[in-house]
Amino acid sequence: MARRGGADAYTARWRRSAHRARIALRRSGVDYFRGDGSDWIALAGLMLLVPAITCATLLDPVWFSPALLALPIVVGGLLLRPASLLSLYAAAAAALIVESLRLGSYLQEPAAVTPGTVLTVAACGFFGLVLAQFRARVGVPWRRGGTMLFDLRERIRVQSALPRLPQGWHREMALRPAGGQSFSGDFVVAARTNGGRTLEVVLTDVSGKGMDAASRALLLSGAFGGLLGSLPPHGFLPAANGYLLRQDWDEGFATSIHLVLDLDSGDYELLSAGHPPALQLHAGSGRWEEKAAEGPLLGVYDGAEFDAVKGSLAPGDVLMLFTDGLVETSDQELSEGIDRLTGEADRYVATGFEGAAWHLIEACAKDVNDDRALLLLSRRA
């Protein structure tokens, strides 16, 4: 019995020790993945790679050039912290010295260490150190940098998704960032409020374009998404204006248009903050009407007032909201761009504007170096 009790106690202690080791290893792995853990594993591997490359170079310098030492230098710049990187650089410098002594003068042996080899390895080391210092300052390891940007892009895309509408309504949205980038300064936030009867949509154009405006667009889209539906419709733009003013950005203004649509009756209100007018197609006459609301830019001055314009969507009518990148360029006036947009949009009347948003951006502003966004809402006949 005593022997059995001792064996059970030993087994219990062994299991507890194994559990603690497993937890510590998992925590260390998570910390390293996040950039908070030690990089000694990567440093040890690269430090072993340096003498391996050196031995291969000394044995066969034709196939294993001394310039191969740039390989661990480049990998170290991606994996290691600046302090660890300096240790790797010291090992690579020592390896170059050994190779130059054993292989002789490059004037007599073409495969020896040349000044160009030293320059190549030194240049890789310099850029690796710059990259490591930047990564350390930002606090995002290279393994997470791309994932983080992808998450930001997807977050903006999800926040710009339009809610499902009841039968008899069609909606679609197209965003095209400047320069073919993945991030845009234009964004949409939308929600169904009032028990699902009302659709509220806010289309915003942040100052700047592409990556320069993407970070501000992400911040504003989250803030505007929280405000939308939490305030009365006429209180949204004043609250958004106050939020921008509190940020105190050097380039902190934005234009925005707020649509409040009754999905039962088709009646709507538009409130604008310096945004281009909306366009409504009247199915009865086949004509486009500009719906321009008055209001200053967001983030310019406190106490701004925004006046609403009202309208109604009858069966067959279409409403378009867009940003200025779609209709206004340095060599094209706003009115000219709107005429071109409505002319292209007339081609999709017969098809009910299915898939028209993307094609309209392609037809009207394909090569424009600005963010472009277009929102289409149509009421089925």
Side-chain angles (χ1 to χ4, degrees):
M1 293 293 294
R3 187 181 299 115
R4 182 181 300 175
D8 292 342
Y10 175 78
T11 303
R13 287 196 301 269
W14 181 85
R15 288 179 178 176
R16 286 196 297 268
S17 300
H19 178 71
R20 286 194 295 267
R22 186 169 62 253
I23 294 298
L25 181 62
R26 184 172 60 183
R27 185 177 300 164
S28 176
V30 171
D31 289 342
Y32 183 63
F33 182 72
R34 291 176 175 173
D36 301 327
S38 174
D39 57 356
W40 67 269
I41 298 177
L43 176 61
L46 293 173
M47 292 291 280
L48 291 175
L49 183 60
V50 170
I53 292 176
T54 304
C55 292
T57 301
L58 295 178
L59 292 175
D60 193 348
V62 175
W63 284 95
F64 299 95
S65 169
L68 276 177
L69 285 171
L71 178 60
I73 295 296
V74 171
V75 176
L78 296 174
L79 293 176
L80 303 179
R81 293 183 173 84
S84 301
L85 202 56
L86 295 178
S87 301
L88 179 64
Y89 289 175
L96 280 176
I97 294 174
V98 171
E99 290 175 352
S100 62
L101 293 176
R102 293 294 301 273
L103 295 176
S105 173
Y106 64 90
L107 297 176
Q108 300 173 354
E109 177 59 51
V113 179
T114 65
T117 302
V118 177
L119 182 61
T120 300
V121 175
C124 291
F126 172 75
F127 288 111
L129 184 60
V130 170
L131 179 61
Q133 288 178 337
F134 173 78
R135 207 172 58 246
R137 184 170 67 251
V138 174
V140 179
W142 77 277
R143 303 172 302 281
R144 289 287 293 167
T147 304
M148 182 177 178
L149 291 176
F150 176 78
D151 289 343
L152 293 179
R153 187 190 69 181
E154 290 302 300
R155 192 176 297 273
I156 294 177
R157 185 186 64 82
V158 170
Q159 288 178 345
S160 296
L162 299 175
R164 289 181 177 272
L165 299 185
Q167 187 175 3
W169 291 95
H170 171 70
R171 85 283 187 268
E172 59 182 77
M173 175 74 192
L175 280 170
R176 186 75 64 86
Q181 300 178 11
S182 298
F183 297 92
S184 174
D186 298 346
F187 67 89
V188 170
V189 291
R192 290 181 64 176
T193 59
N194 193 23
R197 175 179 175 177
T198 303
L199 173 68
E200 292 193 50
V201 180
V202 177
L203 175 60
T204 302
D205 182 1
V206 179
S207 57
K209 56 189 176 183
M211 290 292 293
D212 295 334
S215 58
R216 297 195 300 275
L218 177 63
L219 179 62
L220 290 182
S221 64
F224 286 9
L227 292 174
L228 192 67
S230 301
L231 296 171
H234 287 262
F236 174 82
L237 287 181
N241 181 60
Y243 179 81
L244 259 73
L245 289 172
R246 290 192 298 273
Q247 304 312 304
D248 196 24
W249 288 330
D250 293 335
E251 194 178 2
F253 65 89
T255 69
S256 192
I257 188 167
H258 181 195
L259 168 68
V260 184
L261 172 64
D262 189 318
L263 295 172
D264 291 340
S265 64
D267 297 334
Y268 67 84
E269 279 190 333
L270 278 173
L271 298 101
S272 175
H275 204 82
L279 295 174
Q280 180 178 352
L281 173 65
H282 295 277
S285 63
R287 295 182 178 181
W288 291 90
E289 177 188 4
E290 291 188 16
K291 307 293 287 189
E294 297 295 330
L297 297 170
L298 295 178
V300 176
Y301 63 87
D302 197 7
E305 296 183 357
F306 306 92
D307 298 326
V309 61
K310 297 183 179 182
S312 181
L313 291 176
D317 287 3
V318 179
L319 186 66
M320 287 199 301
L321 309 179
F322 48 88
T323 56
D324 59 359
L326 183 62
V327 294
E328 188 176 20
T329 62
S330 58
D331 56 352
Q332 178 180 266
E333 296 292 334
L334 178 63
S335 58
E336 297 175 357
I338 290 177
D339 290 341
R340 182 179 180 184
L341 176 60
T342 54
E344 293 290 341
D346 285 337
R347 301 181 179 182
Y348 297 92
V349 173
T351 61
F353 287 86
E354 291 282 350
W358 187 88
H359 291 287
L360 286 175
I361 293 180
E362 190 76 7
C364 297
K366 179 179 179 180
D367 299 320
V368 174
N369 188 28
D370 197 0
D371 299 324
R372 291 139 292 168
L374 176 64
L375 170 66
L376 276 171
L377 281 169
S378 62
R379 192 175 186 186
R380 302 298 192 187

